């Protein structure tokens, strides 16, 4: 995907590669997925993803997943109207949490998940597939209390 980004100028977070109607997962080795020299792949281009969100492993479907969750639970907020608004609110909240954790303001946490060398906010696995996820984060209590 990084090589495709260089020649197509389409961010790797927007790309999905398809082989024989199967979307190839980012962590798959192409040869293990059946991609050979003569294989034809389809490139699907998804919605744009802000750089900071891609660095967390979020994909262009995140706003839609969030809307589905809110609808399923009867939640309504004005900022769900556009993907851009969703990204803006998420970025603002993420910055706020990181700042609050660093100053022990309120009860907060943030975590980052990685699958190998790649951020993995969304993880897909096949039946019986074994994955190793690395999780790192910080937790803070208000004013550093020890509740």
């Amino acid at each position: 995907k990084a090589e495709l980004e260089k020649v197509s100028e389409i961010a790797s977070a927007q790309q999905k590669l398809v082989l024989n109607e199967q979307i190839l997962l980012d962590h798959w080795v192409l040869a293990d997925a059946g991609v050979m020299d003569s294989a034809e792949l389809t490139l699907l281009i998804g919605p744009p993803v802000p750089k900071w969100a891609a660095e967390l492993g979020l994909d262009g479907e995140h706003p839609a997943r969030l809307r589905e969750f809110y609808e399923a639970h009867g939640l309504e907020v004005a900022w769900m109207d556009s993907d851009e608004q969703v990204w803006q609110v998420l970025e603002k909240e993420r910055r706020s949490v990181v700042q609050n954790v660093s100053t022990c303001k309120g009860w907060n946490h943030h975590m980052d998940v990685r699958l190998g060398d790649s951020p993995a906010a969304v993880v897909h696995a096949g039946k019986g597939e074994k994955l190793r996820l690395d999780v790192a984060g910080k937790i803070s209590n208000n004013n550093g209390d020890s509740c």
Side-chain angles (χ1 to χ4, degrees), residues 82-139:
S82 74
D83 288 3
E84 185 177 336
Q85 287 178 303
V86 171
W87 290 123
Q88 287 173 352
V89 168
L90 180 57
E91 181 180 30
K92 179 183 172 195
E93 291 301 317
R94 173 76 179 191
R95 281 188 187 155
S96 175
V97 166
V98 169
Q99 175 64 33
N100 289 344
V101 165
S102 70
T103 60
C104 291
K105 180 180 176 186
W107 290 269
N108 294 283
H109 74 280
H110 65 84
M111 297 182 165
D112 296 314
V113 180
R114 299 190 74 77
L115 178 60
D117 293 334
S118 301
V122 178
V123 178
H124 299 276
K127 184 176 180 180
E129 183 176 3
K130 293 183 181 183
L131 303 174
R132 177 193 159 114
L133 300 173
D134 294 308
V135 180
K138 292 186 177 184
I139 300 170

Side-chain angles (χ1 to χ4, degrees), residues 6-140:
K6 289 177 190 174
V7 296
S8 69
E9 298 184 12
I10 299 167
S12 59
Q14 288 181 258
Q15 301 174 22
K16 289 189 190 251
L17 292 173
V18 180
L19 174 67
N20 300 329
E21 300 180 18
Q22 181 177 20
I23 296 175
L24 304 179
L25 300 182
D26 290 346
H27 67 278
W28 287 358
V29 175
L30 293 178
D32 294 345
V35 177
M36 301 300 169
D37 287 342
S38 61
E40 289 190 25
L41 299 172
T42 301
L43 174 62
L44 300 178
I45 302 170
V49 179
K51 184 179 180 193
W52 64 266
E55 289 170 354
L56 295 174
L58 296 169
D59 61 19
E61 310 216 7
H62 180 76
R65 278 192 215 91
L66 195 58
R67 280 187 200 93
E68 287 175 15
F69 177 86
Y70 271 59
E71 288 172 15
H73 293 86
L75 304 170
E76 293 183 29
V77 290
W79 49 265
M80 281 286 183
D81 293 341
S82 74
D83 288 3
E84 185 177 336
Q85 287 178 303
V86 171
W87 290 123
Q88 287 173 352
V89 168
L90 180 57
E91 181 180 30
K92 179 183 172 195
E93 291 301 317
R94 173 76 179 191
R95 281 188 187 155
S96 175
V97 166
V98 169
Q99 175 64 33
N100 289 344
V101 165
S102 70
T103 60
C104 291
K105 180 180 176 186
W107 290 269
N108 294 283
H109 74 280
H110 65 84
M111 297 182 165
D112 296 314
V113 180
R114 299 190 74 77
L115 178 60
D117 293 334
S118 301
V122 178
V123 178
H124 299 276
K127 184 176 180 180
E129 183 176 3
K130 293 183 181 183
L131 303 174
R132 177 193 159 114
L133 300 173
D134 294 308
V135 180
K138 292 186 177 184
I139 300 170
S140 70

